[in-house]
Amino acid sequence: MLEALTKGVRGGKWYSLMDKVWDTSHLTLGAWAVIRNEGAPGVDHRSCEQLERELSSEVDLLQRQLRDGTYRPQPVRRTWIEKPGQTEQRPLGIPVVRDRVVQATIRMVIEPIFESEFVEHSYGFRPGRGALPALERVEGLLKEGQTWVVDADIKGYFDNIPQDRLMVLIRQRITDGKLLALIEAFLNQGVMESGRYWQPTGKGTPQGAVLSPLLANIYSLCRNRGIRLNLFSERFTSAA
C-alpha cells in the first residue's frame, strides 16, 4: 500500500481495503489509539479500561465480525457541551468503544489516500499539522506584507454535511463496496439521548466520532474532480 501511495494506483481508485481494516495488527493499533485517548463510555457503558483488559478477545471479535459482515455500529450517545465564551451549547457524540476502534482503524487505512488530495493551506485535523504550524504560516504571510485576516465559520458544519455528496467524493478514490457500506453505516448509526433512541442521523457526521474530522476534511478540502460541490448551499449558514 505504501508503494501504491507513492506510485499511484490504476485509475486512481482503491479496490481492496477491507482486508487492511480487519487486519489484526491494524485493529490492535486502532484499539491502542482509543485506549490512549481515554474517552467516555458510549451507550453500552463499556470503558477504555475494559477494552485494555480484554484487548486480545476484543480484537478477535471485531476481526471476525468485520470479515463475515455481521459488524453493526451502535447508536451514538449524545451529550451537550458549552461553547467557550458562549451560552450556546453544541452536541457531542460519544460512540461505543468498539465503534471507535473500528473507526480509528478505518482512518489509519484511508487517511493517506486522501491526504494527497487536501489543499496545502489546510491545517485542521491533519497528521503533523495543527495550530502551531498554522500560526507560523500566518506569521510568514504577515512578514510578506499580507495584512488582512478573514475570520469566518460555517454554522453547524459537521451536523449538516450532505452525506450523499460526501460519499460521492469518497467513491472517487475508494471502490471497495464493503468498506463504503461500513462508512455509510457509521454515518447513519443514529443517536441516543437521555437513554432513548432519539433520531437517525440522515445528514452530517457526528462530532466526537473518530472518523468525523477526516470525513469533514474530505468534503471541504478534496480537489474537485469534475463534481461541483457548493459548500455554501442552502443547507449551510455562514457566520462571520
Side-chain angles (χ1 to χ4, degrees):
M1 186 173 181
L2 289 173
E3 182 179 357
L5 286 168
T6 302
K7 296 182 178 180
V9 292
R10 182 179 299 178
K13 295 185 177 183
W14 294 77
Y15 294 89
S16 181
L17 292 171
M18 271 302 292
D19 59 321
K20 282 79 174 173
V21 175
W22 68 52
D23 179 85
T24 300
S25 60
H26 293 167
L27 283 170
T28 302
L29 286 172
W32 277 112
V34 171
I35 292 167
R36 286 193 297 269
N37 197 47
E38 298 180 342
V43 296
D44 64 354
H45 307 295
R46 292 181 62 83
S47 66
C48 291
E49 290 79 8
Q50 287 176 281
L51 173 63
E52 185 174 4
R53 289 196 303 268
E54 303 166 8
L55 182 60
S56 179
S57 60
E58 285 291 299
V59 167
D60 288 345
L61 173 65
L62 289 174
Q63 182 186 54
R64 184 168 62 254
Q65 291 180 339
L66 289 167
R67 292 191 68 167
D68 62 22
T70 59
Y71 181 84
R72 298 291 183 271
Q74 297 189 55
V76 171
R77 179 168 70 88
R78 173 167 287 178
T79 185
W80 294 84
I81 60 175
E82 293 184 0
K83 292 185 176 181
Q86 302 181 36
T87 57
E88 185 180 356
Q89 293 184 319
R90 67 179 179 90
L92 179 66
I94 305 176
V96 299
V97 169
R98 286 173 179 162
D99 286 349
R100 299 205 296 265
V101 172
V102 176
Q103 288 194 33
T105 310
I106 294 174
R107 185 182 66 184
M108 286 190 298
V109 171
I110 71 172
E111 189 170 55
I113 296 171
F114 291 98
E115 264 296 308
S116 62
E117 301 294 320
F118 292 163
V119 293
E120 181 61 30
H121 55 263
S122 164
Y123 292 88
F125 307 114
R126 295 182 62 187
R129 296 182 176 223
L132 183 57
L135 290 172
E136 291 172 346
R137 175 60 176 155
V138 170
E139 184 178 3
L141 291 172
L142 290 172
K143 290 180 179 178
E144 293 174 5
Q146 306 290 336
T147 57
W148 287 92
V149 176
V150 177
D151 183 11
D153 186 24
I154 300 176
K155 185 176 181 180
Y157 176 63
F158 277 76
D159 296 329
N160 291 284
I161 293 174
Q163 294 178 1
D164 54 348
R165 301 186 191 184
L166 171 63
M167 291 306 301
V168 167
L169 283 174
I170 295 174
R171 289 190 183 98
Q172 286 187 334
R173 281 301 190 198
I174 297 173
T175 60
D176 187 318
K178 291 182 178 180
L179 179 54
L180 291 170
L182 184 56
I183 293 173
E184 285 192 282
F186 280 122
L187 289 173
N188 293 285
Q189 64 193 115
V191 172
M192 288 191 72
E193 188 172 351
S194 301
R196 62 187 180 90
Y197 189 76
W198 186 56
Q199 65 178 28
T201 44
K203 64 178 180 178
T205 179
Q207 295 190 55
V210 178
L211 263 180
S212 289
L214 174 59
L215 297 179
N217 276 345
I218 290 173
Y219 186 73
S220 64
L221 301 177
C222 269
R223 296 193 187 101
N224 193 335
R225 293 183 296 276
I227 296 178
R228 294 184 61 83
L229 293 177
N230 182 6
L231 293 180
F232 296 93
S233 66
E234 72 281 0
R235 305 191 187 195
F236 293 95
T237 301
S238 62

